[in-house]
């Protein structure tokens, strides 16, 4: 557990030039606090129906404290960082790979009420700009970048950069 926390702090310090030290990141970065609390909530969620209410209560408390809402069923990889964080929403069937970096206001939202995979998959190394909205069962490829304010409703190829409403490839 502490090894993963050190890994997360190191990742945040590498990605945020404003981070002046490990203690500042540990105490003052709500994105990391939300990720850490999600790990606990996800563990409760994974134990089955008897712990799901506890998982939802944990995620609800974290949303109230940080402004970041992560459904306890969402799958989140290692060294995922959320910079600033306020307004981030990560839906129930979302999957986020390792080393993903996202900014405030990002939404990984669903596009159906059916009990199926309905939220995005974000692969390793992707970057999601401020207020980017990703909707539906789509895949953002490894090392892709989504520009700030973009609305993405279809797959993004690995390494591609997309911007706009609707998002279009620019590289």
């Amino acid at each position: 557990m502490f090894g993963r926390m050190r890994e997360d702090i190191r990742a945040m310090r590498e990605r945020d030039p404003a981070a002046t030290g490990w203690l500042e990141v540990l105490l003052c970065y709500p994105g990391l606090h939300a990720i850490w609390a999600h790990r606990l909530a996800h563990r409760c969620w994974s134990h089955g129906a008897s712990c799901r209410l506890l998982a939802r209560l944990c995620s609800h408390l974290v949303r109230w404290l940080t402004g970041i809402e992560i459904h306890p069923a969402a799958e989140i990889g290692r060294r995922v960082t959320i910079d600033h964080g306020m307004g981030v929403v990560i839906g129930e069937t979302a999957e986020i790979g390792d080393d993903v970096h996202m900014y405030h206001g990002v939404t990984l939202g669903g596009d159906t009420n059916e009990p199926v995979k309905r939220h995005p998959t974000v692969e390793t190394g992707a970057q999601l700009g401020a207020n980017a909205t990703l909707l539906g069962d789509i895949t953002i490829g490894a090392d892709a970048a989504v520009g700030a304010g973009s609305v993405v409703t279809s797959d993004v190829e690995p390494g591609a950069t997309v911007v706009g409403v609707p998002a279009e490839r620019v590289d």
Side-chain angles (χ1 to χ4, degrees), residues 75-100:
E75 300 279 343
I76 298 179
R78 297 176 79 112
R79 298 172 304 278
V80 170
T81 51
I82 302 172
D83 200 351
H84 299 291
M86 184 60 74
V88 168
V89 176
I90 300 172
E92 177 183 17
T93 62
E95 299 173 35
I96 302 173
D98 297 339
D99 300 304
V100 169

PDB file of all heavy atoms in Angstrom, residues 75-100:
ATOM      1  N   GLU A  75     -12.513   0.724 -12.813  1.00  0.00           N
ATOM      2  CA  GLU A  75     -11.185   0.101 -12.749  1.00  0.00           C
ATOM      3  C   GLU A  75     -10.140   1.172 -13.040  1.00  0.00           C
ATOM      4  O   GLU A  75     -10.168   1.790 -14.110  1.00  0.00           O
ATOM      5  CB  GLU A  75     -11.078  -1.016 -13.794  1.00  0.00           C
ATOM      6  CG  GLU A  75     -12.087  -2.133 -13.629  1.00  0.00           C
ATOM      7  CD  GLU A  75     -11.684  -3.138 -12.568  1.00  0.00           C
ATOM      8  OE1 GLU A  75     -10.499  -3.167 -12.194  1.00  0.00           O
ATOM      9  OE2 GLU A  75     -12.560  -3.883 -12.120  1.00  0.00           O
ATOM     10  N   ILE A  76      -9.220   1.386 -12.105  1.00  0.00           N
ATOM     11  CA  ILE A  76      -8.206   2.432 -12.266  1.00  0.00           C
ATOM     12  C   ILE A  76      -6.826   1.821 -12.057  1.00  0.00           C
ATOM     13  O   ILE A  76      -6.570   1.148 -11.054  1.00  0.00           O
ATOM     14  CB  ILE A  76      -8.450   3.590 -11.282  1.00  0.00           C
ATOM     15  CG1 ILE A  76      -9.806   4.231 -11.581  1.00  0.00           C
ATOM     16  CG2 ILE A  76      -7.321   4.611 -11.363  1.00  0.00           C
ATOM     17  CD1 ILE A  76     -10.173   5.379 -10.669  1.00  0.00           C
ATOM     18  N   GLY A  77      -5.924   2.089 -12.999  1.00  0.00           N
ATOM     19  CA  GLY A  77      -4.578   1.537 -12.972  1.00  0.00           C
ATOM     20  C   GLY A  77      -3.642   2.265 -12.025  1.00  0.00           C
ATOM     21  O   GLY A  77      -4.048   3.063 -11.182  1.00  0.00           O
ATOM     22  N   ARG A  78      -2.370   2.026 -12.207  1.00  0.00           N
ATOM     23  CA  ARG A  78      -1.319   2.587 -11.348  1.00  0.00           C
ATOM     24  C   ARG A  78      -0.894   3.960 -11.864  1.00  0.00           C
ATOM     25  O   ARG A  78      -0.926   4.228 -13.053  1.00  0.00           O
ATOM     26  CB  ARG A  78      -0.123   1.652 -11.328  1.00  0.00           C
ATOM     27  CG  ARG A  78      -0.463   0.288 -10.734  1.00  0.00           C
ATOM     28  CD  ARG A  78       0.724  -0.630 -10.837  1.00  0.00           C
ATOM     29  NE  ARG A  78       1.677  -0.313  -9.788  1.00  0.00           N
ATOM     30  CZ  ARG A  78       1.960  -1.115  -8.762  1.00  0.00           C
ATOM     31  NH1 ARG A  78       1.367  -2.271  -8.666  1.00  0.00           N
ATOM     32  NH2 ARG A  78       2.839  -0.751  -7.865  1.00  0.00           N
ATOM     33  N   ARG A  79      -0.454   4.787 -10.932  1.00  0.00           N
ATOM     34  CA  ARG A  79       0.117   6.112 -11.221  1.00  0.00           C
ATOM     35  C   ARG A  79      -0.835   7.002 -12.023  1.00  0.00           C
ATOM     36  O   ARG A  79      -0.409   7.845 -12.799  1.00  0.00           O
ATOM     37  CB  ARG A  79       1.472   5.965 -11.926  1.00  0.00           C
ATOM     38  CG  ARG A  79       2.514   5.260 -11.080  1.00  0.00           C
ATOM     39  CD  ARG A  79       3.782   4.950 -11.854  1.00  0.00           C
ATOM     40  NE  ARG A  79       3.544   4.169 -13.068  1.00  0.00           N
ATOM     41  CZ  ARG A  79       3.397   2.850 -13.111  1.00  0.00           C
ATOM     42  NH1 ARG A  79       3.477   2.137 -12.011  1.00  0.00           N
ATOM     43  NH2 ARG A  79       3.178   2.237 -14.265  1.00  0.00           N
ATOM     44  N   VAL A  80      -2.132   6.817 -11.835  1.00  0.00           N
ATOM     45  CA  VAL A  80      -3.115   7.702 -12.457  1.00  0.00           C
ATOM     46  C   VAL A  80      -3.143   8.985 -11.648  1.00  0.00           C
ATOM     47  O   VAL A  80      -3.206   8.953 -10.418  1.00  0.00           O
ATOM     48  CB  VAL A  80      -4.514   7.045 -12.485  1.00  0.00           C
ATOM     49  CG1 VAL A  80      -5.587   8.035 -12.905  1.00  0.00           C
ATOM     50  CG2 VAL A  80      -4.491   5.837 -13.416  1.00  0.00           C
ATOM     51  N   THR A  81      -3.067  10.124 -12.340  1.00  0.00           N
ATOM     52  CA  THR A  81      -3.063  11.406 -11.639  1.00  0.00           C
ATOM     53  C   THR A  81      -4.202  12.284 -12.144  1.00  0.00           C
ATOM     54  O   THR A  81      -4.530  12.288 -13.327  1.00  0.00           O
ATOM     55  CB  THR A  81      -1.714  12.133 -11.823  1.00  0.00           C
ATOM     56  OG1 THR A  81      -1.388  12.184 -13.216  1.00  0.00           O
ATOM     57  CG2 THR A  81      -0.592  11.416 -11.083  1.00  0.00           C
ATOM     58  N   ILE A  82      -4.796  13.000 -11.195  1.00  0.00           N
ATOM     59  CA  ILE A  82      -5.862  13.954 -11.493  1.00  0.00           C
ATOM     60  C   ILE A  82      -5.381  15.302 -10.983  1.00  0.00           C
ATOM     61  O   ILE A  82      -5.240  15.504  -9.782  1.00  0.00           O
ATOM     62  CB  ILE A  82      -7.181  13.554 -10.802  1.00  0.00           C
ATOM     63  CG1 ILE A  82      -7.618  12.151 -11.233  1.00  0.00           C
ATOM     64  CG2 ILE A  82      -8.262  14.580 -11.113  1.00  0.00           C
ATOM     65  CD1 ILE A  82      -8.805  11.608 -10.462  1.00  0.00           C
ATOM     66  N   ASP A  83      -5.084  16.217 -11.901  1.00  0.00           N
ATOM     67  CA  ASP A  83      -4.544  17.530 -11.557  1.00  0.00           C
ATOM     68  C   ASP A  83      -5.692  18.505 -11.309  1.00  0.00           C
ATOM     69  O   ASP A  83      -6.564  18.665 -12.148  1.00  0.00           O
ATOM     70  CB  ASP A  83      -3.653  18.018 -12.701  1.00  0.00           C
ATOM     71  CG  ASP A  83      -2.693  19.106 -12.272  1.00  0.00           C
ATOM     72  OD1 ASP A  83      -2.823  19.613 -11.143  1.00  0.00           O
ATOM     73  OD2 ASP A  83      -1.812  19.438 -13.075  1.00  0.00           O
ATOM     74  N   HIS A  84      -5.702  19.128 -10.174  1.00  0.00           N
ATOM     75  CA  HIS A  84      -6.749  20.044  -9.689  1.00  0.00           C
ATOM     76  C   HIS A  84      -8.007  19.269  -9.324  1.00  0.00           C
ATOM     77  O   HIS A  84      -8.488  19.390  -8.216  1.00  0.00           O
ATOM     78  CB  HIS A  84      -7.046  21.183 -10.663  1.00  0.00           C
ATOM     79  CG  HIS A  84      -5.863  22.043 -10.919  1.00  0.00           C
ATOM     80  ND1 HIS A  84      -5.341  22.866  -9.963  1.00  0.00           N
ATOM     81  CD2 HIS A  84      -5.079  22.176 -12.020  1.00  0.00           C
ATOM     82  CE1 HIS A  84      -4.283  23.494 -10.457  1.00  0.00           C
ATOM     83  NE2 HIS A  84      -4.096  23.081 -11.702  1.00  0.00           N
ATOM     84  N   GLY A  85      -8.561  18.506 -10.222  1.00  0.00           N
ATOM     85  CA  GLY A  85      -9.578  17.527  -9.893  1.00  0.00           C
ATOM     86  C   GLY A  85     -11.017  17.962  -9.841  1.00  0.00           C
ATOM     87  O   GLY A  85     -11.884  17.191 -10.203  1.00  0.00           O
ATOM     88  N   MET A  86     -11.322  19.141  -9.383  1.00  0.00           N
ATOM     89  CA  MET A  86     -12.723  19.520  -9.172  1.00  0.00           C
ATOM     90  C   MET A  86     -13.572  19.207 -10.395  1.00  0.00           C
ATOM     91  O   MET A  86     -13.208  19.528 -11.519  1.00  0.00           O
ATOM     92  CB  MET A  86     -12.811  21.018  -8.857  1.00  0.00           C
ATOM     93  CG  MET A  86     -14.203  21.501  -8.532  1.00  0.00           C
ATOM     94  SD  MET A  86     -14.948  20.714  -7.099  1.00  0.00           S
ATOM     95  CE  MET A  86     -14.067  21.479  -5.773  1.00  0.00           C
ATOM     96  N   GLY A  87     -14.686  18.535 -10.165  1.00  0.00           N
ATOM     97  CA  GLY A  87     -15.632  18.252 -11.232  1.00  0.00           C
ATOM     98  C   GLY A  87     -15.363  17.000 -12.040  1.00  0.00           C
ATOM     99  O   GLY A  87     -16.102  16.702 -12.972  1.00  0.00           O
ATOM    100  N   VAL A  88     -14.327  16.239 -11.699  1.00  0.00           N
ATOM    101  CA  VAL A  88     -14.058  14.994 -12.419  1.00  0.00           C
ATOM    102  C   VAL A  88     -15.134  13.973 -12.058  1.00  0.00           C
ATOM    103  O   VAL A  88     -15.492  13.818 -10.887  1.00  0.00           O
ATOM    104  CB  VAL A  88     -12.651  14.445 -12.088  1.00  0.00           C
ATOM    105  CG1 VAL A  88     -12.474  13.018 -12.586  1.00  0.00           C
ATOM    106  CG2 VAL A  88     -11.585  15.348 -12.669  1.00  0.00           C
ATOM    107  N   VAL A  89     -15.656  13.273 -13.077  1.00  0.00           N
ATOM    108  CA  VAL A  89     -16.650  12.218 -12.875  1.00  0.00           C
ATOM    109  C   VAL A  89     -16.188  10.992 -13.660  1.00  0.00           C
ATOM    110  O   VAL A  89     -15.953  11.073 -14.867  1.00  0.00           O
ATOM    111  CB  VAL A  89     -18.053  12.646 -13.358  1.00  0.00           C
ATOM    112  CG1 VAL A  89     -19.044  11.501 -13.223  1.00  0.00           C
ATOM    113  CG2 VAL A  89     -18.529  13.874 -12.604  1.00  0.00           C
ATOM    114  N   ILE A  90     -16.074   9.867 -12.953  1.00  0.00           N
ATOM    115  CA  ILE A  90     -15.657   8.609 -13.572  1.00  0.00           C
ATOM    116  C   ILE A  90     -16.751   7.586 -13.297  1.00  0.00           C
ATOM    117  O   ILE A  90     -17.004   7.227 -12.145  1.00  0.00           O
ATOM    118  CB  ILE A  90     -14.293   8.146 -13.013  1.00  0.00           C
ATOM    119  CG1 ILE A  90     -13.223   9.211 -13.310  1.00  0.00           C
ATOM    120  CG2 ILE A  90     -13.915   6.783 -13.592  1.00  0.00           C
ATOM    121  CD1 ILE A  90     -11.885   8.951 -12.652  1.00  0.00           C
ATOM    122  N   GLY A  91     -17.396   7.121 -14.366  1.00  0.00           N
ATOM    123  CA  GLY A  91     -18.552   6.240 -14.250  1.00  0.00           C
ATOM    124  C   GLY A  91     -18.223   4.799 -13.913  1.00  0.00           C
ATOM    125  O   GLY A  91     -17.069   4.358 -13.961  1.00  0.00           O
ATOM    126  N   GLU A  92     -19.272   4.063 -13.626  1.00  0.00           N
ATOM    127  CA  GLU A  92     -19.201   2.694 -13.101  1.00  0.00           C
ATOM    128  C   GLU A  92     -18.390   1.728 -13.949  1.00  0.00           C
ATOM    129  O   GLU A  92     -17.592   0.950 -13.430  1.00  0.00           O
ATOM    130  CB  GLU A  92     -20.626   2.152 -12.944  1.00  0.00           C
ATOM    131  CG  GLU A  92     -20.698   0.730 -12.472  1.00  0.00           C
ATOM    132  CD  GLU A  92     -22.119   0.215 -12.392  1.00  0.00           C
ATOM    133  OE1 GLU A  92     -23.028   0.827 -12.984  1.00  0.00           O
ATOM    134  OE2 GLU A  92     -22.309  -0.824 -11.737  1.00  0.00           O
ATOM    135  N   THR A  93     -18.546   1.727 -15.245  1.00  0.00           N
ATOM    136  CA  THR A  93     -17.863   0.741 -16.086  1.00  0.00           C
ATOM    137  C   THR A  93     -16.623   1.311 -16.772  1.00  0.00           C
ATOM    138  O   THR A  93     -16.071   0.681 -17.680  1.00  0.00           O
ATOM    139  CB  THR A  93     -18.829   0.140 -17.134  1.00  0.00           C
ATOM    140  OG1 THR A  93     -19.298   1.178 -17.994  1.00  0.00           O
ATOM    141  CG2 THR A  93     -20.002  -0.565 -16.466  1.00  0.00           C
ATOM    142  N   ALA A  94     -16.171   2.479 -16.313  1.00  0.00           N
ATOM    143  CA  ALA A  94     -14.952   3.071 -16.874  1.00  0.00           C
ATOM    144  C   ALA A  94     -13.738   2.226 -16.505  1.00  0.00           C
ATOM    145  O   ALA A  94     -13.684   1.625 -15.429  1.00  0.00           O
ATOM    146  CB  ALA A  94     -14.772   4.498 -16.360  1.00  0.00           C
ATOM    147  N   GLU A  95     -12.771   2.202 -17.413  1.00  0.00           N
ATOM    148  CA  GLU A  95     -11.501   1.518 -17.186  1.00  0.00           C
ATOM    149  C   GLU A  95     -10.394   2.495 -17.543  1.00  0.00           C
ATOM    150  O   GLU A  95     -10.395   3.056 -18.637  1.00  0.00           O
ATOM    151  CB  GLU A  95     -11.395   0.265 -18.053  1.00  0.00           C
ATOM    152  CG  GLU A  95     -12.474  -0.763 -17.778  1.00  0.00           C
ATOM    153  CD  GLU A  95     -12.428  -1.919 -18.766  1.00  0.00           C
ATOM    154  OE1 GLU A  95     -11.313  -2.309 -19.183  1.00  0.00           O
ATOM    155  OE2 GLU A  95     -13.495  -2.414 -19.126  1.00  0.00           O
ATOM    156  N   ILE A  96      -9.462   2.677 -16.627  1.00  0.00           N
ATOM    157  CA  ILE A  96      -8.364   3.611 -16.828  1.00  0.00           C
ATOM    158  C   ILE A  96      -7.061   2.854 -16.636  1.00  0.00           C
ATOM    159  O   ILE A  96      -6.837   2.231 -15.593  1.00  0.00           O
ATOM    160  CB  ILE A  96      -8.448   4.789 -15.833  1.00  0.00           C
ATOM    161  CG1 ILE A  96      -9.788   5.519 -15.992  1.00  0.00           C
ATOM    162  CG2 ILE A  96      -7.275   5.742 -16.034  1.00  0.00           C
ATOM    163  CD1 ILE A  96     -10.038   6.583 -14.937  1.00  0.00           C
ATOM    164  N   GLY A  97      -6.194   2.927 -17.649  1.00  0.00           N
ATOM    165  CA  GLY A  97      -4.917   2.229 -17.596  1.00  0.00           C
ATOM    166  C   GLY A  97      -3.897   2.957 -16.735  1.00  0.00           C
ATOM    167  O   GLY A  97      -4.189   3.972 -16.103  1.00  0.00           O
ATOM    168  N   ASP A  98      -2.686   2.456 -16.735  1.00  0.00           N
ATOM    169  CA  ASP A  98      -1.594   3.041 -15.960  1.00  0.00           C
ATOM    170  C   ASP A  98      -1.134   4.362 -16.575  1.00  0.00           C
ATOM    171  O   ASP A  98      -1.254   4.586 -17.779  1.00  0.00           O
ATOM    172  CB  ASP A  98      -0.398   2.088 -15.938  1.00  0.00           C
ATOM    173  CG  ASP A  98      -0.704   0.769 -15.256  1.00  0.00           C
ATOM    174  OD1 ASP A  98      -1.660   0.699 -14.458  1.00  0.00           O
ATOM    175  OD2 ASP A  98       0.027  -0.209 -15.538  1.00  0.00           O
ATOM    176  N   ASP A  99      -0.591   5.226 -15.729  1.00  0.00           N
ATOM    177  CA  ASP A  99       0.074   6.464 -16.146  1.00  0.00           C
ATOM    178  C   ASP A  99      -0.817   7.413 -16.931  1.00  0.00           C
ATOM    179  O   ASP A  99      -0.341   8.181 -17.772  1.00  0.00           O
ATOM    180  CB  ASP A  99       1.340   6.146 -16.947  1.00  0.00           C
ATOM    181  CG  ASP A  99       2.329   5.343 -16.116  1.00  0.00           C
ATOM    182  OD1 ASP A  99       2.690   5.825 -15.018  1.00  0.00           O
ATOM    183  OD2 ASP A  99       2.724   4.243 -16.540  1.00  0.00           O
ATOM    184  N   VAL A 100      -2.110   7.404 -16.659  1.00  0.00           N
ATOM    185  CA  VAL A 100      -3.039   8.351 -17.284  1.00  0.00           C
ATOM    186  C   VAL A 100      -3.030   9.632 -16.458  1.00  0.00           C
ATOM    187  O   VAL A 100      -2.989   9.602 -15.227  1.00  0.00           O
ATOM    188  CB  VAL A 100      -4.464   7.745 -17.355  1.00  0.00           C
ATOM    189  CG1 VAL A 100      -5.492   8.793 -17.755  1.00  0.00           C
ATOM    190  CG2 VAL A 100      -4.467   6.576 -18.325  1.00  0.00           C
TER     191      VAL A 100
END
